[in-house]
């Protein structure tokens, strides 16, 4: 009989920078679920990949002095290395710059255009560049991006639009009839009440102000909106729209699209509508997990609190990091990461509970049975309750994993591990060993402990791919014969195996020493600030076209509703000018009044928040923030700088 299929996806990762442990969280959960399903006999397709187009990536590449393709190629390599390091075993890796993907996206765009679901019009609205999202006035939060809280810009351009509004009722009906479609329930309610019920507006799906994207085939000055491009990956990765769509026919519809909560909106509204318009079945579930916070704060590059997974894996191993991510965070809710929590968790669960159980068991089998796992003898008063739990643990893990709750699954496994440690305290094998008459009981205890460790290792495979092997080795078992999921019930251990005491699988860590090492690692990072790469060479004539002047700041005030902006009145000789500068997060208005600063005086005036800015203040920035440039001694206002 053919295996049932299971198609699970992670989102595509942006290729604008290195990934942190928050990103790793999505992939590690997906990998644990995929491994679990493979063990349960499914034909699993785990899809991941990279989101490589868009204005932000184009700009970041420019700032790094690279062509966008060269820039993303470098990052994709680091992302693949990271998944290898974390044992994330994907089946398909898709890049949105892959030719077959781009062609399929063009096909989708053209089809939707031809059938009238995409039409040409003009876009006016608020755009958040980091999120690559458009918002209406109503959707803004305090005038800023409702997703990331950053400034938005007003854009007006000729664009293509996708008729989301046409499908609104159909989508709502679908969501209402399929309660499992958006999970957890809190996200489902949010989608219905915050987004769908107030009314969907047609979505702007092309851009003309940059060109790093998939070109609209029949109007190539437009590039396809990055989310339409990226979402399509879930089917183009399977060959949809290509000559060979056998994988698409095999795996679609997806069983689960997994992602962080901030992007559920795209997957639960825009994506299903695209599929409806393409007349394709919808994914069975869209699951939005919570965020991994650092010290209760969202991890983000701009806050400088991102944790790099690479040194963590180098120091503690990938299984330890995977365990932390899967265990610490109740699925759906936010979780926290701090070095203290991390080390404490590793010590308590891995070194004490699991590591000690193994080393104590193996040591006692060596001591009392010359290293040979004994066949069970007479019963003790404590066997039944241990074995009862051991019988039900597999079911509990299955139930948790079928509901995408790795944390609950690990809790169930640790209940058993703790129970087994307690069994040692209850039965006191060192006391039994003193009486020859209790030898049968001693054998039972050690057999049961070894058996529980054997089956625990089977259950741990989805979460910690390396540790089970190490447990079996110490028990003298051969991994290839032990891995089967169905064997994760008590009594299947063949006695007579020769145990082999090895190193502690998770040595106990000294919290203080680890925190000190952590600090040192952080300082190393600070010690090597990245110097931004140089821009293209220009000649002196080119440079002299830029008119730099020293001006006196006469007055300064904050621009209402714009956190970053100050409005300055400056004197350029006798002339008075207004300049809007993005320095409000670094200077109080009064700090600047009376100072001299340098401005670009012949910059074309621009309207910023309705104020005409007649020049630009020069400032340098580094990791500590921003500093305006000022002459080393006061000079006449209006003096030229060159
Ligand atoms: N490129 C889009 C997705 C397009 S899918 C068609 C994107 N990329 S991302 O790189 O920003 O995010 C990738 C995944 O990492 C998402 O699931 C996101 O929620 C997750 N995380 C990023 N930071 C996170 C935390 N701090 N905590 C948990 N997950 C977070 O969005």
């Amino acid at each position: 009989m053919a295996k049932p299929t299971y198609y699970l996806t992670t989102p595509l990762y942006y290729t604008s920078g290195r990934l942190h442990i928050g990103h790793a969280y999505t992939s590690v959960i997906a990998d644990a679920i995929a491994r679990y399903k493979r063990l349960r006999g499914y034909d699993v397709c785990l899809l991941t990949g990279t989101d490589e187009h868009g204005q932000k990536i184009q700009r970041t590449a420019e700032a790094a002095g690279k062509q966008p393709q060269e820039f993303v190629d470098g990052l994709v390599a680091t992302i693949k290395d990271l998944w290898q390091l974390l044992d994330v075993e994907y089946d398909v890796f898709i890049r949105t710059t892959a030719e077959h993907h781009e062609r399929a996206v063009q096909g989708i765009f053209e089809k939707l255009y031809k059938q009238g679901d995409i039409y040409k019009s003009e876009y006016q609205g608020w755009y958040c560049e980091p999120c690559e999202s458009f918002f209406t006035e109503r959707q803004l939060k305090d005038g800023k991006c409702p997703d990331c809280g950053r400034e938005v810009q007003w854009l007006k351009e000729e664009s293509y639009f996708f008729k989301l509004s046409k499908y609104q009722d159909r989508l709502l009906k679908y969501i209402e009839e399929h309660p499992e479609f958006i999970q957890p329930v809190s996200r489902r309610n949010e989608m219905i009440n915050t987004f769908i019920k107030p009314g969907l507006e047609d979505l702007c799906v092309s851009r003309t102000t940059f060109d790093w994207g998939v070109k609209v085939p029949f109007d190539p000055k437009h590039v396809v909106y990055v989310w339409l491009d990226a979402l399509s990956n879930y089917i183009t990765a399977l060959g949809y729209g290509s000559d060979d769509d056998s994988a698409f026919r095999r795996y679609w519809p997806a069983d689960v699209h997994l992602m962080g909560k901030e992007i559920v909106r795209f997957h639960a509204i825009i994506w299903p509508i695209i599929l409806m318009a393409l007349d394709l079945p919808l994914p069975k579930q869209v699951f939005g997990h919570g965020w991994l916070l650092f010290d209760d704060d969202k991890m983000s590059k701009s806050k400088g609190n991102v944790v790099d997974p690479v040194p963590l894996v180098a120091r503690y191993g990938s299984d330890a990091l995977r365990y932390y991510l899967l265990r610490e965070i109740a699925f759906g809710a936010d979780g926290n990461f701090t070095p203290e929590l991390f080390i404490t968790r590793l010590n308590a669960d891995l070194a004490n509970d699991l590591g000690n159980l193994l080393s104590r068991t193996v040591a006692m089998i060596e001591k009392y049975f010359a290293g040979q796992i004994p066949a069970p003898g007479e019963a003790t008063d404590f066997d039944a309750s241990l074995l009862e739990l051991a019988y039900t643990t597999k079911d509990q893990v299955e139930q948790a994993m079928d509901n995408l709750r790795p944390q609950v699954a690990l809790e169930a496994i640790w209940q058993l591990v703790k129970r087994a440690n307690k069994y040692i305290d209850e039965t006191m094998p060192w006391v039994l060993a003193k009486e020859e008459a209790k030898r049968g009981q001693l054998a039972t205890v050690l057999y049961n402990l070894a058996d529980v460790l054997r089956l625990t290792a089977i259950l741990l495979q989805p979460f910690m791919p390396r540790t089970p092997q190490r447990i079996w080795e110490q028990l003298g078992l051969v991994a290839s014969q032990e891995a089967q999921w169905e064997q994760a019930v008590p009594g299947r251990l063949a006695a007579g195996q020769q145990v082999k005491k090895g190193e502690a699988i998770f040595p106990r860590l000294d919290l203080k020493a680890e925190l000190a090492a952590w600090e040192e690692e952080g300082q190393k990072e600070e010690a090597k600030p990245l110097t931004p790469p140089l821009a293209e060479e220009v000649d002196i004539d080119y440079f002299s076209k830029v008119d730099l002047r020293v001006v006196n700041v006469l007055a300064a005030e904050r621009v209402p509703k714009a956190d970053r902006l100050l409005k300055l009145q400056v004197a350029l000789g006798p002339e008075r000018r207004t300049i809007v500068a993005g320095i409000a997060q670094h200077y109080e208005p009064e700090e600047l009044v009376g100072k001299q600063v340098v401005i670009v005086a012949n910059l074309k005036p621009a309207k910023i928040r309705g104020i005409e800015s007649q020049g630009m203040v020069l400032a340098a920035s580094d990791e500590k923030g921003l500093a305006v440039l000022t002459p080393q001694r006061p000079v006449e206002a209006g003096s030229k700088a060159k």
Side-chain angles (χ1 to χ4, degrees):
M1 214 174 69
K3 287 180 174 183
T5 59
Y6 191 78
Y7 181 34
L8 171 66
T9 68
T10 77
L12 298 187
Y13 291 86
Y14 283 128
T15 48
S16 48
R18 289 174 66 86
L19 302 187
H20 55 65
I21 57 172
H23 298 112
Y25 179 51
T26 308
S27 282
V28 166
I29 304 170
D31 180 69
I33 297 167
R35 284 176 187 270
Y36 164 73
K37 287 284 177 187
R38 286 187 202 115
L39 283 163
R40 297 298 311 275
Y42 284 79
D43 164 7
V44 173
C45 179
L46 172 59
L47 170 72
T48 190
T50 40
D51 195 346
E52 304 182 19
H53 289 132
Q55 188 171 23
K56 189 176 169 201
I57 290 169
Q58 182 168 6
R59 289 220 176 129
T60 317
E62 265 163 25
K66 289 191 175 163
Q67 288 302 318
Q69 188 66 55
E70 181 195 356
F71 178 75
V72 295
D73 286 349
L75 277 164
V76 170
T78 68
I79 292 174
K80 285 188 170 170
D81 286 350
L82 179 61
W83 300 152
Q84 194 179 358
L85 198 66
L86 284 166
D87 293 317
V88 171
E89 229 172 53
Y90 49 80
D91 298 285
V92 183
F93 191 102
I94 175 137
R95 301 182 54 172
T96 56
T97 52
E99 211 190 312
H100 75 94
H101 169 80
E102 294 195 355
R103 246 185 287 119
V105 169
Q106 289 183 321
I108 291 172
F109 199 96
E110 196 154 15
K111 177 172 162 55
L112 298 183
Y113 179 71
K114 281 192 179 142
Q115 71 191 37
D117 282 329
I118 286 182
Y119 60 93
K120 198 171 189 174
S121 178
E122 187 180 62
Y123 185 77
Q124 297 194 38
W126 295 104
Y127 188 69
C128 174
E129 192 187 305
C131 296
E132 315 244 19
S133 302
F134 292 102
F135 299 100
T136 59
E137 187 77 40
R138 188 166 52 96
Q139 288 170 327
L140 299 183
K141 223 184 202 164
D142 301 328
K144 300 214 180 93
C145 171
D147 284 349
C148 72
R150 279 180 273 212
E151 296 291 333
V152 287
Q153 42 180 317
W154 182 255
L155 283 187
K156 191 170 161 183
E157 61 180 270
E158 175 194 283
S159 290
Y160 286 91
F161 283 81
F162 178 42
K163 281 189 186 164
L164 288 189
S165 51
K166 172 176 154 191
Y167 291 91
Q168 170 177 328
D169 295 341
R170 226 174 110 185
L171 178 66
L172 185 60
K173 185 161 176 276
Y174 186 87
I175 294 174
E176 282 173 347
E177 284 171 2
H178 297 83
E180 73 299 337
F181 177 55
I182 305 172
Q183 283 294 319
V185 170
S186 53
R187 313 261 182 266
R188 176 171 184 267
N189 294 341
E190 184 193 357
M191 290 305 123
I192 296 177
N193 300 325
T194 318
F195 295 107
I196 307 177
K197 284 203 172 148
L200 294 178
E201 287 170 43
D202 290 352
L203 180 72
C204 173
V205 286
S206 77
R207 302 290 313 278
T208 53
T209 50
F210 62 92
D211 61 4
W212 180 237
V214 177
K215 305 244 174 320
V216 171
F218 47 88
D219 195 353
K221 76 171 192 286
H222 288 258
V223 293
V224 175
Y225 175 45
V226 276
W227 274 99
L228 179 61
D229 169 3
L231 287 163
S232 305
N233 94 88
Y234 298 126
I235 53 176
T236 66
L238 300 178
Y240 174 85
S242 80
D243 297 339
D244 178 7
D245 66 354
S246 52
F248 174 72
R249 281 184 277 115
R250 178 167 186 74
Y251 292 110
W252 192 258
D255 290 84
V256 179
H257 287 319
L258 182 68
M259 74 218 60
K261 60 185 176 183
E262 79 285 11
I263 54 172
V264 168
R265 188 161 60 89
F266 299 94
H267 289 81
I269 297 175
I270 300 175
W271 179 228
I273 292 183
I274 296 173
L275 290 167
M276 282 174 177
L278 292 173
D279 206 14
L280 293 175
L282 304 197
K284 293 179 202 155
Q285 190 165 81
V286 170
F287 196 107
H289 64 68
W291 285 334
L292 183 63
L293 306 174
F294 185 82
D295 229 349
D296 288 320
D297 199 357
K298 172 125 205 256
M299 232 172 258
S300 85
K301 230 186 188 163
S302 55
K303 287 187 197 136
N305 64 355
V306 296
V307 179
D308 185 348
V310 177
L312 280 182
V313 172
R315 197 170 174 91
Y316 306 104
S318 61
D319 272 8
L321 179 57
R322 286 175 64 109
Y323 177 77
Y324 185 86
L325 294 174
L326 294 167
R327 176 68 195 266
E328 194 65 30
I329 302 145
F331 213 30
D334 290 342
N336 217 345
F337 182 95
T338 67
E340 288 88 340
L341 283 174
F342 179 64
I343 305 295
T344 310
R345 174 66 83 191
L346 300 197
N347 270 343
D349 298 6
L350 301 185
N352 284 2
D353 293 345
L354 183 64
N356 274 346
L357 179 63
L358 179 66
S359 55
R360 288 164 95 189
T361 303
V362 171
M364 289 191 288
I365 294 173
E366 283 192 333
K367 189 163 173 195
Y368 304 131
F369 291 93
Q372 213 171 36
I373 298 177
E378 287 115 57
T380 79
D381 294 344
F382 306 100
D383 308 336
S385 71
L386 173 72
L387 296 181
E388 223 168 83
L389 187 63
Y391 268 111
T392 54
T393 306
K394 174 167 161 283
D395 291 345
Q396 288 180 37
V397 171
E398 289 173 3
Q399 206 183 3
M401 290 307 278
D402 290 337
N403 286 312
L404 312 182
R405 300 285 189 279
Q407 188 228 16
V408 177
L410 283 173
E411 263 169 20
I413 299 175
W414 253 258
Q415 247 191 331
L416 178 62
V417 170
K418 287 188 167 139
R419 184 70 196 77
N421 275 316
K422 194 169 158 218
Y423 177 72
I424 301 182
D425 301 339
E426 290 166 343
T427 54
M428 296 190 281
W430 51 92
V431 176
L432 297 176
K434 287 192 181 138
E435 287 180 54
E436 192 47 41
K438 299 270 171 74
R439 190 131 180 102
Q441 289 193 0
L442 181 63
T444 304
V445 170
L446 291 179
Y447 176 88
N448 284 342
L449 288 170
D451 196 26
V452 163
L453 276 161
R454 174 195 63 82
L455 74 88
T456 298
I458 299 177
L459 298 177
L460 279 179
Q461 294 177 94
F463 315 96
M464 304 167 85
R466 291 166 187 260
T467 303
Q469 163 99 22
R470 299 176 67 200
I471 297 178
W472 291 321
E473 263 170 23
Q474 295 208 20
L475 294 173
L477 303 172
V478 182
S480 58
Q481 292 163 17
E482 298 302 323
Q484 281 172 28
W485 190 258
E486 290 64 36
Q487 300 296 323
V489 284
R492 303 274 167 96
L493 171 67
Q497 247 69 241
Q498 193 68 32
V499 300
K500 286 185 225 129
K501 192 159 180 56
E503 282 173 21
I505 52 170
F506 291 103
R508 205 181 153 72
L509 302 164
D510 180 81
L511 179 62
K512 255 199 190 146
E514 294 309 313
L515 293 182
W518 188 277
E519 286 269 297
E520 212 174 286
E521 185 71 31
Q523 276 158 10
K524 255 197 276 160
E525 289 283 305
E526 270 169 37
K528 48 170 176 56
L530 278 182
T531 310
L534 292 180
E536 187 187 329
E537 191 176 271
V538 296
D539 59 24
I540 187 82
D541 294 340
Y542 183 99
F543 172 70
S544 60
K545 288 189 186 142
V546 181
D547 196 344
L548 301 176
R549 299 297 176 115
V550 177
V551 295
N552 290 340
V553 179
L554 305 175
E557 60 183 288
R558 291 187 178 277
V559 176
K561 289 197 185 162
D563 277 2
R564 292 200 305 203
L565 301 181
L566 287 186
K567 177 176 153 192
L568 309 179
Q569 292 298 334
V570 302
L572 196 164
E575 187 192 334
R576 298 288 174 266
R577 286 193 180 196
T578 301
I579 294 183
V580 179
I583 55 177
Q585 284 167 332
H586 307 272
Y587 289 93
E588 292 301 326
E590 47 283 7
E591 275 179 87
L592 292 167
V593 177
K595 280 235 168 81
Q596 290 197 316
V597 297
V598 182
I599 65 162
V600 182
N602 60 338
L603 194 66
K604 210 162 141 193
K607 269 218 165 146
I608 305 178
R609 289 292 169 124
I611 306 164
E612 187 173 86
S613 180
Q614 301 154 321
M616 185 179 94
V617 174
L618 294 190
S621 59
D622 62 10
E623 286 170 348
K624 293 200 185 100
L626 194 136
V628 294
L629 300 193
T630 179
Q632 180 263 333
R633 69 167 170 81
V635 295
E636 279 303 314
S639 299
K640 221 168 154 31
K642 33 184 200 175

